Amino acid sequence: AQTVTQSQPEMSVQEAETVTLSCTYDTSESDYYLFWYKQPPSRQMILVIRQEAYKQQNATENRFSVNFQKAAKSFSLKISDSQLGDAAMYFCAYRGNYNNNDMRFGAGTRLTVKP
Amino acid sequence: DAGVIQSPRHEVTEMGQEVTLRCKPISGHDYLFWYRQTMMRGLELLIYFNNNVPIDDSGMPEDRFSAKMPNASFSTLKIQPSEPRDSAVYFCASSLRPGGLYEQYFGPGTRLTVT
């Protein structure tokens, strides 16, 4: 079964600085999809960024970018110019191509942004 | 677009009582998912529907849990009888298409407390 590991339960960053959240996963599939979701205190799960495994180019969405290393099965999230509103739980998620409705989530990383 | 709507936002009940959680997916979305989030187990998929039909309920913890989708705009998750270990945040999500990069849109969740 696919597993998603986020090894950093908590991270903090100074406002305007850059922070990287780690995510690794385990799979035997060659084609799959990876996601980062943000969960602020409101509890709403919000999609931040997504990546297809067969695309080598790293996805970017404004201040958010990923470092996708397929061979290492690593999918880290970089937040540049951190803002107070970035403070939230961040979840890494995996969706395989075989059972493509089963999205597996990591345990989450709580990000604190210091003013 | 109102997004995925869940009710109630908070539910407190006593052990042994029946609990019904409600969800209205985004109009036009053919897929609906129920998740449970706890500190111990993270975010787990309980069941999902396609065109109102349950497709995979392997994540439903036990027979006390049941889910229905009588029409395209409404789904319920019922727990009968409820137990303290059912205390969690329950999310409903909907998606336009299965798998791939298609985003699952989450509702705000229902925080269930069973005393």
Side-chain angles (χ1 to χ4, degrees), chain B residues 57-73:
Chain B
D57 65 354
S58 59
M60 296 284 264
E62 46 197 278
D63 292 345
R64 297 183 298 106
F65 286 70
S66 63
K68 294 182 179 180
M69 193 165 185
N71 58 62
S73 60

Side-chain angles (χ1 to χ4, degrees), chain B residues 48-64:
Chain B
Y48 80 88
F49 295 81
N50 176 24
N51 289 326
N52 314 336
V53 177
I55 302 300
D56 184 353
D57 65 354
S58 59
M60 296 284 264
E62 46 197 278
D63 292 345
R64 297 183 298 106

Side-chain angles (χ1 to χ4, degrees), chain A residues 36-53:
Chain A
W36 277 98
Y37 276 87
K38 169 185 177 181
Q39 186 179 40
S42 67
R43 289 204 312 253
Q44 187 84 40
M45 293 281 283
I46 303 164
L47 179 67
V48 173
I49 198 166
R50 49 192 150 184
Q51 172 88 37
E52 298 163 287

